[in-house]
Amino acid sequence: MTEISLDTKGQNRLNILVRWAAEVARTGRQVPDHGDLELIAHTKVVAVDGGGAGIVQQWEPAISWMFKQAAFGVADPYLFLPEDLLSPTAPSGQRPDIAPEGAPAAAPASRIPKWEVSALEQVRGAIGRYIKPLQDLKARDANEGDTRLIVTDLLCEGLDYDKFRDLTTEYMVKQDFADYGVRIDKQMVAFIEVKRISQKLNERHLRQVQMYAVNEGIEWMILTNGAVWQAYHLTGGLPVVVNMAFEIDLLGPATLEEKAEMMFLLHREALKRRRIDESWKHRAATEPKALLDVILSETILDQIRKEVKRRTGTTTTPEAVSEVIRAEIVDPKLLAKLFKP
């Protein structure tokens, strides 16, 4: 068999699959062998030839789901598999609700919804078509008005918004104007702020669209210069909390599939079904400040103390462990953010 060379992302996919397979094997279920998992991690295509094809086919929904979660930054997606993906689907040609004689019944087959497949294809196709126009726009340093034209086309052709029904340009917010207000089923759900394609998006631009969102009680804010798209979630309160859900550069080095996976979250149907919420919640929960708060919690410090004792025989205290983490492991700037008054 030809040796497969995996890049960093491919190795990450393989690590996820190997850990998942080990967990499933403990339940007595059959899983793809290591060679098939390696090929799937390399190609991102959940299908193989040969004797393992049937097993891979049965686990295709679960593996595809894990790959999507990994693309969103989820570290161990197999730990969060939906219940209907914990068991293999029925082989092709066999009714999923009837197991072979003597075998346990299989879980009902799980399939990607048709709307999601259609939306992904629409997004993927639009990105492919607009790469060259975006490159041309950037090469001539097009102004904001020209950038807005191509953004409108991407919103309509790629993300399925109707320019008359769903998009309101120059939406007035307290004597100022947001570039776009986005409506779904007549309900305002997001503001979009557009900058010229050569303009690097920054905090000042975010504060501008954040002001619109706060005044109108809107959760979602999108910044774009046509090439780079940033999506932010706003949680109301005093003070308001803003979390980035994702950022993608359509002219960057990511693959077309990776770009489509991210932009899919802004598709009209995905936004309507709040798919983007999963992404921002995970990002907010796993940002360095949030994780450090967990690590320095009394429960985790006590567990670390016990593990130190188990491994080395040395007795220590949670306070001593905390001091070492704060003084010698963690970036002082992050500590300052976590414990600022």
Side-chain angles (χ1 to χ4, degrees):
M1 182 176 178
T2 305
E3 184 176 348
I4 296 175
S5 177
L6 297 172
D7 59 16
T8 302
K9 291 182 179 179
Q11 187 61 54
N12 180 55
R13 289 191 292 270
L14 179 59
N15 292 340
I16 289 170
L17 292 179
V18 169
R19 291 194 291 266
W20 162 78
E23 291 294 324
V24 173
R26 290 193 186 98
T27 69
R29 296 185 177 91
Q30 196 171 12
V31 295
D33 63 31
H34 186 85
D36 288 339
L37 294 179
E38 194 172 36
L39 180 62
I40 293 167
H42 175 63
T43 63
K44 292 200 294 185
V45 176
V46 191
V48 298
D49 296 325
I55 298 171
V56 169
Q57 180 188 1
Q58 292 175 47
W59 287 111
E60 186 277 332
I63 294 174
S64 294
W65 187 91
M66 288 190 289
F67 278 4
K68 280 190 176 184
Q69 297 303 304
F72 294 153
V74 179
D76 294 307
Y78 63 90
L79 297 176
F80 311 103
L81 275 165
E83 189 173 347
D84 60 345
L85 298 183
L86 295 176
S87 300
T89 60
S92 179
Q94 176 185 312
R95 282 183 54 187
D97 56 338
I98 299 179
E101 186 176 351
S110 175
R111 291 287 179 261
I112 298 176
K114 288 184 179 180
W115 73 263
E116 186 172 333
V117 173
S118 177
L120 272 168
E121 289 178 354
Q122 184 178 10
V123 173
R124 191 183 299 113
I127 293 174
R129 289 194 303 275
Y130 279 94
I131 291 294
K132 182 63 166 60
L134 284 169
Q135 290 172 335
D136 293 343
L137 212 64
K138 191 169 185 178
R140 65 182 175 86
D141 191 18
N143 60 33
E144 190 172 303
D146 288 347
T147 303
R148 199 179 300 181
L149 289 175
I150 203 166
V151 166
T152 301
D153 287 343
L154 280 166
L155 288 170
C156 296
E157 294 183 29
L159 304 181
D160 204 37
Y161 293 99
D162 184 292
K163 67 175 64 175
F164 302 110
R165 179 193 64 203
D166 302 321
L167 301 178
T168 302
T169 59
E170 298 297 328
Y171 184 89
M172 179 178 282
V173 182
K174 289 194 173 180
Q175 308 307 311
D176 205 348
F177 295 90
D179 289 334
Y180 296 90
V182 179
R183 297 182 188 276
I184 295 180
D185 296 334
K186 300 181 180 180
Q187 181 70 38
M188 188 68 68
V189 296
F191 285 124
I192 302 175
E193 189 67 19
V194 181
K195 300 301 173 185
R196 67 187 300 158
I197 194 162
S198 60
Q199 174 73 63
K200 185 175 181 180
L201 304 176
N202 58 44
E203 287 290 329
R204 181 169 57 83
H205 304 144
L206 176 59
R207 286 195 297 271
Q208 182 180 357
V209 73
Q210 180 179 321
M211 178 191 69
Y212 304 147
V214 169
N215 285 330
E216 296 292 306
I218 301 301
E219 284 186 83
W220 288 103
M221 305 168 291
I222 300 159
L223 290 179
T224 183
N225 61 10
V228 177
W229 292 71
Q230 297 175 344
Y232 294 87
H233 181 270
L234 184 146
T235 303
L238 291 173
V240 298
V241 177
V242 175
N243 299 109
M244 178 185 279
F246 75 85
E247 177 182 37
I248 190 69
D249 185 354
L250 299 184
L251 297 182
T255 65
L256 177 60
E257 194 62 33
E258 289 167 336
K259 294 171 183 176
E261 290 281 357
M262 287 295 151
M263 289 296 287
F264 161 77
L265 295 173
L266 297 181
H267 190 279
R268 185 182 187 279
E269 291 301 314
L271 197 58
K272 179 179 179 179
R273 290 169 168 80
R274 306 185 71 84
R275 287 292 184 88
I276 194 172
D277 287 50
E278 297 174 16
S279 179
W280 81 260
K281 285 178 181 177
H282 176 267
R283 188 159 188 150
T286 58
E287 67 174 356
K289 181 176 177 294
L291 290 179
L292 181 58
D293 197 17
V294 172
I295 291 169
L296 293 177
S297 68
E298 184 177 339
T299 301
I300 299 303
L301 288 173
D302 191 53
Q303 289 299 316
I304 294 174
R305 176 191 66 78
K306 291 177 181 177
E307 184 65 14
V308 170
K309 174 72 173 178
R310 187 186 70 80
R311 292 190 179 197
T312 68
T314 301
T315 300
T316 185
T317 65
E319 292 76 17
V321 172
S322 175
E323 182 59 31
V324 172
I325 292 173
R326 292 167 183 257
E328 302 183 38
I329 297 177
V330 178
D331 183 345
K333 293 180 181 178
L334 183 56
L335 279 171
K337 288 181 180 179
L338 181 60
F339 297 104
K340 66 182 179 181

